[in-house]
């Protein structure tokens, strides 16, 4: 008896069916710069008009073990948003506007309905980030992944004007730090989260937390800050995306030598989920693992603070001073 690819665990027909089912919401992310259709060998995107010396930026990331929670909770509609957010939020820190996005979805056995929900979330994230989802890859790899598992990776490309990058004002002592709130844990620290809630405390996914099932709180998608950036960019000197490593490791990435960030912890508007975790995790560990309720930090000239506060949900958490690194007061 001859073998088929399906006998080895790979269903080509399922992949083809998925492509057909995701076309409507993928096409909803397209704009006039997208070239070609879904299903080609590569995605095409024309550079937007109006740039004198366009510079392209690329960013790639995943969602980490937050995926394990989604799999256990059988809730697949939000992790795609996380995937987009982790990439485009990095792009804007380079003052690049996201242009397009590609995804990679790998699994042991392709379940079309689950994959469709994931990719629908990716498309939703792309719409929020005002970029096009121009391509992706679905890989069915039995033997590489356990039954029911899948992994995600994303890749985003953004554009900036070279002259704008070169004329950015230097950061200096006296500049103000403004926090844009996070929506929750975002997509970092979930190995610690799972260890605490489910291994140490023995909590269930549907346990009540502040009036919601725990899994909903933990799977709250990462906030996308692209629209905030576009609205405020002329008043921003620098941005830091607060991801893995927290404030203490991400903020120094944008600071020049001889300048430190001084932050008052009491000003940070932490979320209930972090207050709960902090009962079981040392404070230093909290600040180097989680965003603590701060998803993006803007560095702003003092004269622009009022404008930023009036046109965003941001709030002041500190300032730049002479020194090195980050001090939490």
């Amino acid at each position: 008896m001859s073998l088929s690819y399906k006998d080895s665990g790979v269903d080509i027909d399922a992949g083809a069916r998925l492509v057909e089912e995701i076309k409507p919401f993928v096409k909803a992310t397209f704009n006039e710069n997208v070239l070609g259709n879904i299903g080609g060998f590569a995605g095409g995107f024309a550079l937007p008009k109006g740039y004198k010396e366009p510079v392209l930026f690329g960013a790639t990331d995943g969602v980490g073990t937050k995926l394990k929670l989604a799999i256990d909770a059988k809730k697949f509609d939000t992790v795609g948003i996380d995937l987009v957010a982790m990439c485009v939020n990095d792009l804007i820190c380079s003052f690049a506007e996201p242009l397009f996005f590609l995804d990679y979805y790998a699994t042991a056995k392709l379940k079309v309905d689950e994959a469709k929900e994931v990719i629908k979330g990716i498309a939703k994230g792309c719409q929020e980030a005002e970029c096009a989802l121009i391509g992706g890859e679905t890989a069915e790899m039995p033997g590489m992944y356990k039954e029911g598992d899948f992994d995600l990776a994303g890749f985003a490309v953004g554009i900036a004007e070279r002259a704008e990058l070169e004329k950015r004002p230097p950061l200096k002592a006296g500049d103000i730090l403004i926090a844009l709130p996070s929506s929750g844990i975002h997509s970092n620290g979930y190995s610690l989260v799972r260890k605490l809630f489910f291994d140490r405390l023995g909590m269930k996914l549907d346990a009540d937390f502040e009036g919601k099932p725990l899994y909903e709180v933990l799977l709250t998608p990462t906030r996308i800050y692209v629209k905030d950036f576009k609205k405020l960019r002329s008043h921003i000197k620098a941005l830091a995306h607060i991801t893995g490593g927290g404030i203490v490791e991400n903020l120094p990435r944008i600071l020049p030598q001889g300048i430190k960030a001084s932050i008052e912890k009491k000003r940070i508007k932490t979320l209930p989920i972090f207050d709960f975790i902090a009962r079981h995790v040392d404070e230093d560990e909290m600040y180097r693992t989680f965003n603590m309720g701060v998803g993006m930090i803007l560095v702003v000239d003092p004269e622009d603070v009022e404008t930023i506060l009036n046109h965003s949900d941001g709030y002041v958490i500190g300032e730049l001073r002479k020194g090195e690194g980050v001090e939490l007061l």
Side-chain angles (χ1 to χ4, degrees):
M1 182 178 178
S2 63
L3 284 173
S4 68
Y5 208 1
K6 192 170 184 178
D7 291 329
S8 70
V10 178
D11 188 347
I12 297 174
D13 292 334
R17 189 166 72 253
L18 176 63
V19 171
E20 288 301 313
E21 295 201 14
I22 66 176
K23 280 184 177 180
F25 40 85
V26 172
K27 284 186 175 179
T29 72
F30 285 9
N31 57 38
E32 68 277 6
N33 297 311
V34 177
L35 307 176
N37 294 309
I38 302 166
F41 288 99
F45 196 93
L47 288 180
K49 298 177 180 179
Y51 286 86
K52 295 180 179 179
E53 288 188 274
V55 179
L56 297 180
F57 286 83
T60 186
D61 212 334
V63 181
T65 58
K66 190 173 188 178
L67 289 177
K68 181 63 176 171
L69 277 175
I71 292 167
D72 291 345
K74 299 189 182 304
K75 181 175 171 58
F76 304 101
D77 59 336
T78 59
V79 288
I81 300 173
D82 288 300
L83 184 67
V84 176
M86 295 302 289
C87 296
V88 299
N89 286 345
D90 281 352
L91 283 180
I92 61 175
C93 291
S94 295
F95 279 76
E97 293 188 12
L99 293 177
F100 59 82
F101 189 86
L102 299 99
D103 68 273
Y104 177 77
Y105 179 103
T107 185
K109 181 175 178 57
L110 182 60
K111 299 179 180 178
V112 174
D113 290 343
E114 291 181 4
K116 180 180 176 181
E117 287 299 300
V118 172
I119 298 171
K120 186 184 293 185
I122 293 172
K124 184 176 181 180
C126 285
Q127 288 183 297
E128 177 65 24
E130 299 181 330
C131 67
L133 176 56
I134 66 167
E137 173 68 11
T138 302
E140 197 171 17
M141 296 188 287
M144 181 68 73
Y145 294 94
K146 292 190 299 183
E147 179 70 28
D149 280 352
F150 68 90
D151 198 9
L152 291 176
F155 182 82
V157 170
I159 190 170
E161 183 68 76
R162 185 169 191 146
E164 181 184 10
L165 300 178
E166 293 176 345
K167 73 178 182 180
R168 298 229 58 79
L171 305 187
K172 64 182 188 302
D175 285 341
I176 304 301
L177 300 172
I178 294 179
L180 296 183
S182 67
S183 56
I185 301 174
H186 283 185
S187 298
N188 299 103
Y190 275 85
S191 293
L192 176 54
V193 167
R194 290 168 51 242
K195 182 75 172 179
L196 171 63
F197 281 93
F198 308 118
D199 295 346
R200 178 71 62 84
L201 300 179
M203 296 178 69
K204 302 296 184 183
L205 282 167
D206 59 356
D208 178 78
F209 188 90
E210 298 283 319
K212 293 183 178 180
L214 178 61
Y215 72 87
E216 283 193 11
V217 177
L218 297 180
L219 289 174
T220 300
T222 304
R223 177 174 168 178
I224 294 173
Y225 297 93
V226 173
K227 291 179 181 177
D228 298 281
F229 164 72
K230 289 182 176 180
K231 181 171 59 176
L232 304 170
R233 65 185 300 164
S234 62
H235 303 282
I236 299 172
K237 298 180 73 172
L239 309 87
H241 183 200
I242 309 305
T243 57
I247 295 172
V248 295
E249 291 190 11
N250 285 285
L251 193 49
R253 296 165 67 178
I254 65 170
L255 300 179
Q257 188 172 1
I259 294 294
K260 70 179 179 181
S262 180
I263 294 174
E264 296 182 54
K265 288 184 289 187
K266 65 181 180 182
R267 289 193 175 196
I268 295 176
K269 299 176 181 178
T270 58
L271 300 170
I273 190 66
F274 296 117
D275 295 333
F276 181 93
I277 295 172
R279 299 176 197 169
H280 308 275
V281 177
D282 290 340
E283 184 177 77
D284 287 348
E285 189 72 9
M286 291 292 296
Y287 275 93
R288 63 192 294 265
T289 303
F290 301 111
N291 66 60
M292 299 303 290
V294 178
M296 189 75 70
I297 294 179
L298 314 181
V299 182
V300 178
D301 190 280
E303 66 181 22
D304 287 318
V305 170
E306 186 175 353
T307 299
I308 296 287
L309 299 183
N310 287 339
H311 293 87
S312 72
D313 57 354
Y315 59 95
V316 174
I317 58 170
E319 65 178 4
L320 298 186
R321 297 176 180 174
K322 292 183 178 180
E324 297 290 339
V326 175
E327 62 175 359
L328 299 173
L329 304 175

